[in-house]
Amino acid sequence: PILAQHHHPRATEATTKYFLAQAAAAAMLLFASTTNAWLSGEWEIQQMVHPIPTTIIILALALKIGLAPLHAWLPEVLQGLDLTSGLILSTWQKLAPIALLLQINTPAPQLLISLGLLSILVGGWGGLNQNQLRKILAYSSIAHLGWMMLVLQFAPSITIMALLIYIITTFSVFLIFKVNKATTINMLATSRAKTPILTLLLPPLLLSLGGLPPLTGFMPKWLILQELTKQDLIIVATMAALSALLSLYFYLRLSYAMAMTMVPNTIINTIPWRLPS
């Protein structure tokens, strides 16, 4: 009901897609828990000992939060929603599946590492050619969740910290876009005339999402790479770090559009702060 509240055909379509994806994931989850109970006699998620139901549960939760290669619904759904509903979908809706993932003791972490690496790559690659801000934020979400999955089995506390920093930063970015009524990169260029103060705040937030060193978003990535190195996963850490450069490119594009460009044909109505009250 929250997603479809605008009664726009695009919002209804997005809600239907979201419902179908979540219903499929919930059915997989139920099937996996039943299979586990049948094989081992245990219903608790901490007692997942058999590899088959464990794998199915991880894939079901990956579909729920939109990890690659089960991510295809997320950019489409987010594009059809308004910014407030998109904010709820990008932040609050990730908490329950990640809480379940944290409780699963997987015998082999290769699946989560594969999902994580693929998500970082797809999240960076998919956002490169986008002009729509909501799709860019969807691919950003996929990439960040990939980083969290890489370290989930080795240091859950780092995953929780990365999730909290991601939620706080994404919350701020969505709210600034909402205040500026911006849905495309071109609309960001005119937003400096509307809200000059927010224009100064957004580039550091976007670069923090990208993980540039002096900013907050760099810390979880640094700790994740450090933990992967401790686990002797040097190749995984290197691939993740290089794939993050793809994401950084489109964050820089947004920052450039917001902070460095001036619109030559700015209509006088869009710059109320220059007019006398």
Side-chain angles (χ1 to χ4, degrees):
I2 293 170
L3 303 188
Q5 63 185 340
H6 286 286
H7 301 297
H8 189 274
R10 197 77 181 77
T12 313
E13 180 193 343
T15 310
T16 310
K17 284 178 180 172
Y18 179 70
F19 174 73
L20 291 172
Q22 297 297 315
M28 280 172 71
L29 208 58
L30 191 60
F31 172 70
S33 53
T34 314
T35 310
N36 187 61
W38 180 45
L39 290 170
S40 64
E42 287 287 349
W43 280 100
E44 290 184 22
I45 195 163
Q46 289 95 343
Q47 307 294 332
M48 302 288 291
V49 287
H50 203 280
I52 294 173
T54 309
T55 306
I56 297 172
I57 276 199
I58 289 171
L59 290 174
L61 293 169
L63 176 59
K64 268 192 173 297
I65 54 178
L67 281 175
L70 306 162
H71 67 285
W73 61 272
L74 183 58
E76 294 298 318
V77 167
L78 208 59
Q79 180 56 33
L81 305 175
D82 70 313
L83 288 165
T84 315
S85 308
L87 169 61
I88 295 167
L89 187 63
S90 298
T91 55
W92 178 255
Q93 291 301 98
K94 309 292 185 204
L95 296 178
I98 289 180
L100 289 177
L101 280 166
L102 284 165
Q103 294 177 66
I104 298 173
N105 298 314
T106 49
Q110 287 89 347
L111 177 61
L112 279 173
I113 289 173
S114 309
L115 287 172
L117 262 183
L118 195 59
S119 296
I120 297 170
L121 196 59
V122 167
W125 203 261
L128 287 183
N129 202 27
Q130 295 296 336
N131 190 36
Q132 297 288 336
L133 295 178
R134 283 165 293 186
K135 278 197 175 175
I136 287 176
L137 287 167
Y139 283 111
S140 157
S141 166
I142 293 165
H144 276 87
L145 288 164
W147 278 95
M148 292 170 214
M149 291 307 110
L150 282 183
V151 81
L152 188 80
Q153 284 301 300
F154 310 119
S157 53
I158 297 178
T159 300
I160 294 167
M161 186 194 70
L163 180 65
L164 285 174
I165 290 174
Y166 164 73
I167 286 175
I168 291 163
T169 321
T170 306
F171 200 89
S172 313
V173 169
F174 263 103
L175 290 182
I176 291 174
F177 286 164
K178 187 171 171 58
V179 168
N180 287 327
K181 296 185 173 62
T183 52
T184 64
I185 293 181
N186 296 338
M187 290 169 83
L188 278 183
T190 60
S191 61
R192 182 150 71 160
K194 296 179 198 168
T195 51
I197 306 294
L198 290 180
T199 311
L200 294 174
L201 289 174
L202 191 61
L205 280 169
L206 289 168
L207 296 175
S208 178
L209 274 175
L212 273 188
L215 302 163
T216 318
F218 172 63
M219 184 172 58
K221 289 188 176 176
W222 183 25
L223 291 171
I224 288 166
L225 291 174
Q226 189 182 28
E227 186 61 38
L228 289 171
T229 314
K230 279 182 193 170
Q231 302 290 338
D232 287 334
L233 297 166
I234 311 294
I235 297 170
V236 173
T238 309
M239 287 173 69
L242 290 174
S243 302
L245 293 173
L246 292 166
S247 301
L248 191 58
Y249 170 74
F250 61 75
Y251 292 125
L252 280 168
R253 257 179 85 204
L254 293 180
S255 304
Y256 178 79
M258 192 95 178
M260 302 284 189
T261 54
M262 281 295 280
V263 183
N265 55 350
T266 308
I267 305 164
I268 199 72
N269 296 336
T270 63
I271 41 175
W273 58 280
R274 284 191 191 168
L275 302 175
S277 54

